[in-house]
Amino acid sequence: MINKQKILIVDDDNNIAELISLYLTKECYETKIVNDGESVLPAYESFSPNLILLDLMLPGIDGYQVCREVRAKYSVPIIMLSAKGEVFDKVLGLELGADDYMEKPFDTKELVARVKSVLRRYKPVSAVPETRNDKCVEYENLSINLTNYSVVYMGETVDMPPKELELLYFLAASPNHVFTREQLLDQIWGYEYIGDTRTVDVHIKRLREKIKDHANWKISTIWGIGYKFEVRNG
């Protein structure tokens, strides 16, 4: 029997949390609810969720700080939920490591669709055996595998949220090809993010913090256009 995927729901409004849980349970997910930031890490360690739905406005430790603490230890996907709709709040959430961001009030069916979308992209390394058909690109000191969602840089495995890895793979799979921010948004995030080009910039910044320029390759900014994975021959 296939084990159910687990969703940790973090929201101080228990009515909202219960509603989310109800919809996810109908979709055959197993859920756990916590109502404050202090409970998130203990709940993660006991429940081992596949994804966290994280409200930003929490008593005590807010969602931003919770995201920092989770990201410092785990690469589990995080979808932030917030009544704050300003670009600054969304960008800050993405910079801290969130994989998606939804404004309240939200449609529960859309939330379920977002959860499914993120989970489809996230596969723990141990869950998928290596095969000859792996979607993998390799350069000197860098290997990006989209089949088992792993990145090895300078001989070390680098933890990355799904969107970061997908963006890196997409660029590296087409060396020296320039992609506009809009093209990258469409390919990696889908139609709901069209127009929010800052999302791409945030993820590129995070990639550069983890993957430094190499003598033979680097992520290059094409000013006024977008980005490319630049490869030097010879």
Side-chain angles (χ1 to χ4, degrees):
M1 183 177 179
I2 299 175
N3 292 329
K4 291 182 179 180
Q5 290 182 297
K6 300 178 181 179
I7 312 295
L8 179 62
I9 302 167
V10 187
D11 199 310
D12 64 328
D13 187 328
N14 204 55
N15 290 328
I16 293 177
E18 290 285 356
L19 181 62
I20 293 172
S21 177
L22 176 63
Y23 274 83
L24 290 173
T25 301
K26 286 181 178 179
E27 297 292 331
C28 296
Y29 294 107
E30 183 178 347
T31 65
K32 181 180 180 64
I33 296 172
V34 296
N35 302 120
D36 58 78
E38 290 87 347
S39 303
V40 174
L41 283 180
Y44 181 94
E45 290 164 4
S46 63
F47 186 56
S48 299
N50 301 97
L51 181 143
I52 299 176
L53 290 174
L54 177 63
D55 184 40
L56 290 182
M57 304 301 289
L58 297 170
I61 302 176
D62 67 19
Y64 293 120
Q65 183 59 34
V66 171
C67 188
R68 289 189 189 95
E69 293 179 0
V70 171
R71 272 290 164 263
K73 300 179 69 175
Y74 308 108
S75 59
V76 59
I78 297 173
I79 298 178
M80 284 187 169
L81 309 175
S82 177
K84 295 182 176 182
E86 288 80 5
V87 172
F88 170 80
D89 298 300
K90 188 171 186 178
V91 169
L92 178 57
L94 293 170
E95 285 182 335
L96 292 176
D99 297 278
D100 205 345
Y101 186 109
M102 289 193 69
E103 296 177 28
K104 292 181 176 180
F106 49 78
D107 182 84
T108 48
K109 291 181 180 179
E110 181 183 356
L111 176 62
V112 171
R114 297 275 190 105
V115 167
K116 289 180 178 180
S117 177
V118 171
L119 287 174
R120 272 198 305 269
R121 291 177 167 88
Y122 183 80
K123 298 185 180 102
V125 173
S126 59
V128 181
E130 295 286 340
T131 72
R132 292 172 56 189
N133 296 319
D134 281 348
K135 292 182 179 179
C136 183
V137 292
E138 294 186 350
Y139 296 94
E140 185 178 353
N141 299 125
L142 178 66
S143 176
I144 311 153
N145 193 314
L146 195 63
T147 299
N148 62 21
Y149 272 65
S150 65
V151 174
V152 178
Y153 169 63
M154 302 296 288
E156 300 287 335
T157 299
V158 180
D159 287 333
M160 286 188 185
K163 294 297 186 188
E164 283 182 36
L165 192 149
E166 289 168 25
L167 178 58
L168 179 61
Y169 177 87
F170 185 78
L171 289 169
S174 299
N176 297 320
H177 184 100
V178 178
F179 293 97
T180 67
R181 290 173 174 82
E182 288 76 13
Q183 287 174 322
L184 294 172
L185 276 169
D186 184 52
Q187 289 292 326
I188 309 301
W189 284 270
Y191 70 91
E192 70 268 17
Y193 275 84
I194 294 302
D196 187 15
T197 55
R198 182 77 173 107
T199 299
V200 176
D201 297 334
V202 168
H203 281 72
I204 291 290
K205 176 184 175 183
R206 281 159 47 183
L207 281 173
R208 285 172 169 161
E209 290 171 351
K210 298 174 182 178
I211 306 293
K212 306 300 183 183
D213 289 352
H214 189 273
N216 296 324
W217 51 261
K218 66 177 182 177
I219 300 172
S220 295
T221 300
I222 310 302
W223 296 108
I225 301 176
Y227 300 96
K228 71 175 179 178
F229 190 87
E230 182 177 345
V231 177
R232 303 183 181 91
N233 296 320

